């Protein structure tokens, strides 16, 4: 094309540059869209995992309460007797509270 006219060589070079820019822009857009979709799925999974952890925590609290008390209320002497049991202490530890047998009187 340069042999015909130098202007045609310049126009062809500009055409190739614009075409390459457009193709790269499309490829970049596909990568960004896929990444955005993956992030959205990850946020949804994290939310669902958080909800499941909350449900499990509530079940553990209900289990602990059913172990500590037979009815809706518990008095201090009954609570202290139940706290001497290792199973009750293990349930408290599972919920994130470290309760040892030697310090239940301080509760």
């Amino acid at each position: 094309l340069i042999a015909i006219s130098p202007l045609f060589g310049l126009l062809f070079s500009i055409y190739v540059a614009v075409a390459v820019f457009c193709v790269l822009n499309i490829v970049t857009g596909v990568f960004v869209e896929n990444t955005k979709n993956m992030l959205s799925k990850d946020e949804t999974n994290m939310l669902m995992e958080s909800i499941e952890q909350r449900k499990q925590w509530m079940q553990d609290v209900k289990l602990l309460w059913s172990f500590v008390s037979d009815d809706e209320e518990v008095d201090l002497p009954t609570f202290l007797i139940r706290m001497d049991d290792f199973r009750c202490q293990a349930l408290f530890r599972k919920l994130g509270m470290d309760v040892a047998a030697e310090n239940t009187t301080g509760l």
Side-chain angles (χ1 to χ4, degrees), residues 33-45:
E33 186 68 26
N34 287 339
T35 304
K36 191 169 82 170
N37 288 339
M38 288 174 55
L39 179 65
S40 173
K41 289 178 185 177
D42 189 45
E43 287 175 353
T44 303
N45 289 339

Side-chain angles (χ1 to χ4, degrees), residues 64-65 67-69 73-85 88 92 97 99 103-107:
L64 176 64
W65 187 254
F67 183 75
V68 170
S69 175
E73 295 181 5
V74 62
D75 56 351
L76 183 61
T78 306
F79 180 75
L80 292 177
I81 290 170
R82 299 290 179 146
M83 285 305 301
D84 287 334
D85 190 354
C88 187
F92 269 105
M97 295 176 256
V99 181
N103 67 2
T104 56
T105 58
L107 295 175

Side-chain angles (χ1 to χ4, degrees), residues 40-53:
S40 173
K41 289 178 185 177
D42 189 45
E43 287 175 353
T44 303
N45 289 339
M46 288 176 55
L47 179 63
M48 294 302 292
E49 184 178 325
S50 174
I51 291 170
E52 289 299 320
Q53 287 176 349

